[in-house]
Amino acid sequence: MMGAALLIGFVIFTQFKKNAEPAWKVNAENFTVLDNWEELMDFEKMKYNELKFADHFNLFKDSDISVPLSNEHRTLRIEKTWNNGFQLYVLYSVDLKERDKNEGDVPRLNVEKIKVTSTQSKEFLGNAEIYPGETSSRGYVYKHRLYSSMMIHPEFNNAVNSQEDWEEVMKSNRYELNDISMISKNGIINLKPIAFQVEPAQIKGLPKAIASTPINQTLHINNGDKINLKNMEFYQIGSRIMLDKKIDKDLVTLIGEVNINDRKHPVEYEIESLNESEDFIQGYSLMSELFNIEEADEGSFSITHSVHRTNNEYSFSVPKIDIEKYNANQAEGVSKNELVVNENGLNVVYEGLYRDDANNQGGIKFSLETLPKQDSIQDFFIYPRPSYHFSPQSYDERYAKNLVSVRDSSGKPLEEFDITQIYQDEKPSFLIYFYNGLPVEDLFVTLSNLTHIEPLKQKVVVPLKLPPAK
């Protein structure tokens, strides 16, 4: 009994000594001194917005890594880590000494390299790109320790260039910090590598949900189709709205609004295919809204329109003689004003050859306008893009909308061009410009996969609510 009492007493004394704070007071004029752990984490969430997600769902990992800094008579402690498959967050602390006049006196962690190891034991060594955060505060003092943090993005340059290697990197379950040191006014202390076990990102199939909130509302599409929104799910690197069935591939996206305290802004809901029987709506923008509203805010999102794609093609020609005339006097341009498309509330007009001095570019100008014009429907919902960016066999065929292809006089498709919006008219206008200048020959422009926007029979409004963590 005497031995047990001594052992208990020793444990209590050791724990007391570990938690006891020095008697001297930290100068609050030179350091940001915090009263509690919750306040510290609030500062960290302001510094790194992603941490709101990690904190709400209890995704931080506690660490027991402790490294003596013998030259400084201090200890480096790794407090918490978090990763989402793309980056590693590290919160660490160093004990403060009464002699410290400012943060420059306290050693700060520096990381040059990071080695990741996949679940298949394949290793990749890259540079540690450090993101400093969104606030000017570098560290905070809590219980006589200076807390600092870093968000590390592995940068592999050309060492990882195959799809297989990238998948291995994303499946990494071990991160090892290499070429690390503690730096202060007193010099540099080199440290041995520090390794962490992390949760690998799930890149195949549907990532495991860590929480969900029910929706149970139905979209009534104008073509008579019905789509049920089942629930909003949150997973390691995002959120999604699950649907009850596969969606027709020519219904390419949905449009609506986010409303926070009667402040509205339009949003596009991307439909993504998972397998042969299930689709979902990607919810990154909604998740961002959820983690940036305050408890007192009232928020909701709505779905008001559906965007459909037609299988028809529409063409217009750009004669060589017009290109020669344009090249002779680019400032004057060549005006055409030819109607190319007028159906499903969509107007496309070939405006002619035009030089956009604001961007120092010249090329083929056309306008693309949906009618009737609505404030909630912005231009980017109908933004055209070069067709050579997309493959008919591509898994992301829903993104292939409002495609533009250009052929030369021999019928050969051209690829050395891009499309930019020009802000000149009230209607959305676009410029097809070639990297090496307009080819001086007969050109033929084809528009395909054109989209038109239709209102739902009744808009659906869903409250923005965060589910509790499991």
Side-chain angles (χ1 to χ4, degrees):
M1 290 180 64
M2 181 65 71
L6 289 172
L7 178 61
I8 292 171
F10 176 76
V11 170
I12 292 173
F13 172 77
T14 303
Q15 196 65 31
F16 170 79
K17 187 177 180 181
K18 180 180 178 182
N19 293 324
E21 291 187 64
W24 56 272
K25 188 175 181 180
V26 179
N27 187 341
E29 292 183 2
N30 297 332
F31 297 93
T32 303
V33 182
L34 305 181
D35 295 326
N36 53 64
W37 182 261
E38 289 72 22
E39 190 179 8
L40 191 154
M41 290 311 300
D42 285 342
F43 272 94
E44 283 296 280
K45 286 182 284 187
M46 285 191 287
K47 189 175 181 181
Y48 305 108
N49 193 56
E50 308 98 308
L51 298 187
K52 295 176 182 178
F53 178 87
D55 187 47
H56 180 83
F57 292 117
N58 301 318
L59 299 179
F60 290 117
K61 284 190 174 181
D62 293 326
S63 172
D64 58 359
I65 295 174
S66 183
V67 181
L69 307 176
S70 54
N71 293 355
E72 292 270 354
H73 303 289
R74 308 182 198 250
T75 302
L76 163 70
R77 281 207 316 244
I78 307 297
E79 305 285 351
K80 290 184 182 293
T81 61
W82 169 74
N83 85 297
N84 65 356
F86 302 96
Q87 57 192 355
L88 175 68
Y89 167 78
V90 178
L91 175 66
Y92 66 93
S93 69
V94 177
D95 40 322
L96 213 61
K97 300 298 181 183
E98 190 172 6
R99 65 177 182 270
D100 296 329
K101 302 303 180 185
N102 53 55
E103 289 190 24
D105 295 329
V106 185
R108 183 171 295 276
L109 183 63
N110 181 64
V111 181
E112 296 291 338
K113 300 285 186 180
I114 185 167
K115 181 166 67 174
V116 303
T117 306
S118 75
T119 51
Q120 302 300 317
S121 299
K122 195 168 184 178
E123 295 181 345
F124 301 90
L125 181 66
N127 295 323
E129 298 289 336
I130 308 298
Y131 176 57
E134 298 172 8
T135 66
S136 58
S137 298
R138 298 187 67 189
Y140 326 102
V141 174
Y142 173 55
K143 289 189 174 182
H144 287 78
R145 296 189 68 84
L146 180 66
Y147 284 77
S148 304
S149 60
M150 58 177 63
M151 192 73 79
I152 305 172
H153 296 255
E155 175 56 61
F156 298 103
N157 296 323
N158 297 323
V160 179
N161 47 33
S162 70
Q163 181 64 26
E164 291 77 13
D165 279 352
W166 276 118
E167 290 184 3
E168 286 294 306
V169 167
M170 294 300 297
K171 291 187 293 185
S172 298
N173 62 356
R174 185 179 187 272
Y175 279 39
E176 183 180 279
L177 307 184
N178 280 248
D179 293 355
I180 54 180
S181 56
M182 299 297 293
I183 301 175
S184 71
K185 292 177 181 177
N186 299 325
I188 299 175
I189 304 172
N190 294 313
L191 303 180
K192 294 180 180 179
I194 298 176
F196 309 96
Q197 292 298 122
V198 300
E199 192 71 28
Q202 184 182 338
I203 59 175
K204 296 289 188 180
L206 190 68
K208 177 184 175 183
I210 57 178
S212 68
T213 184
I215 297 178
N216 295 326
Q217 295 205 46
T218 301
L219 305 180
H220 293 272
I221 311 299
N222 251 335
N223 61 9
D225 199 7
K226 296 179 182 179
I227 301 171
N228 182 248
L229 310 178
K230 296 194 297 184
N231 50 56
M232 179 181 285
E233 295 182 345
F234 297 82
Y235 55 101
Q236 184 183 3
I237 56 174
S239 66
R240 58 189 176 241
I241 296 174
M242 299 306 299
L243 308 177
D244 66 336
K245 62 181 179 180
K246 291 289 288 185
I247 308 301
D248 181 85
K249 66 180 179 63
D250 290 327
L251 195 170
V252 292
T253 192
L254 298 163
I255 293 175
E257 291 180 330
V258 169
N259 184 347
I260 307 293
N261 295 337
D262 293 326
R263 297 189 304 272
K264 300 177 182 179
H265 66 83
V267 63
E268 181 179 18
Y269 304 96
E270 294 179 354
I271 300 171
E272 301 221 357
S273 296
L274 174 66
N275 49 44
E276 293 300 320
S277 61
E278 201 168 19
D279 284 345
F280 62 91
I281 295 172
Q282 193 60 264
Y284 292 124
S285 61
L286 296 179
M287 186 177 73
S288 176
E289 297 287 350
L290 276 167
F291 283 101
N292 283 292
I293 61 177
E294 303 295 333
E295 284 188 25
D297 292 337
E298 292 186 2
S300 65
F301 67 92
S302 63
I303 302 178
T304 58
H305 294 74
S306 56
V307 182
H308 303 262
R309 181 172 54 200
T310 177
N311 294 317
N312 298 332
E313 292 186 350
Y314 308 87
S315 299
F316 62 90
S317 60
V318 183
K320 176 181 177 182
I321 189 172
D322 285 349
I323 297 174
E324 291 174 335
K325 181 180 177 181
Y326 166 76
N327 286 336
N329 188 352
Q330 293 190 6
E332 183 177 335
V334 176
S335 180
K336 303 302 286 187
N337 198 34
E338 296 178 3
L339 182 65
V340 181
V341 181
N342 181 17
E343 60 181 53
N344 292 321
L346 177 69
N347 281 359
V348 180
V349 176
Y350 167 42
E351 305 284 354
L353 300 174
Y354 170 81
R355 177 159 188 83
D356 179 24
D357 291 326
N359 294 303
N360 195 30
Q361 293 169 339
I364 302 166
K365 178 184 176 184
F366 67 97
S367 60
L368 196 156
E369 186 177 21
T370 57
L371 300 172
K373 188 68 175 176
Q374 300 178 60
D375 292 338
S376 62
I377 309 300
Q378 291 194 344
D379 298 345
F380 60 78
F381 295 131
I382 56 172
Y383 203 100
R385 58 203 79 188
S387 60
Y388 67 83
H389 287 180
F390 298 87
S391 165
Q393 288 78 37
S394 177
Y395 67 91
D396 57 356
E397 62 176 2
R398 287 189 191 277
Y399 298 104
K401 52 190 176 184
N402 299 315
L403 301 187
V404 176
S405 60
V406 182
R407 292 178 290 114
D408 62 16
S409 54
S410 69
K412 176 186 175 183
L414 304 180
E415 296 188 354
E416 296 298 312
F417 72 90
D418 214 329
I419 301 169
T420 185
Q421 185 166 7
I422 50 180
Y423 299 91
Q424 182 192 39
D425 311 319
E426 290 185 2
K427 54 188 175 183
S429 296
F430 302 91
L431 193 70
I432 304 171
Y433 67 94
F434 288 79
Y435 303 141
N436 299 314
L438 268 169
V440 185
E441 58 180 307
D442 294 331
L443 299 178
F444 302 90
V445 179
T446 299
L447 307 176
S448 60
N449 294 276
L450 290 183
T451 58
H452 59 277
I453 301 171
E454 297 182 357
L456 300 181
K457 291 184 177 180
Q458 183 177 355
K459 80 172 184 179
V460 167
V461 180
V462 182
L464 271 173
K465 294 175 63 177
L466 265 176
K470 286 185 177 179

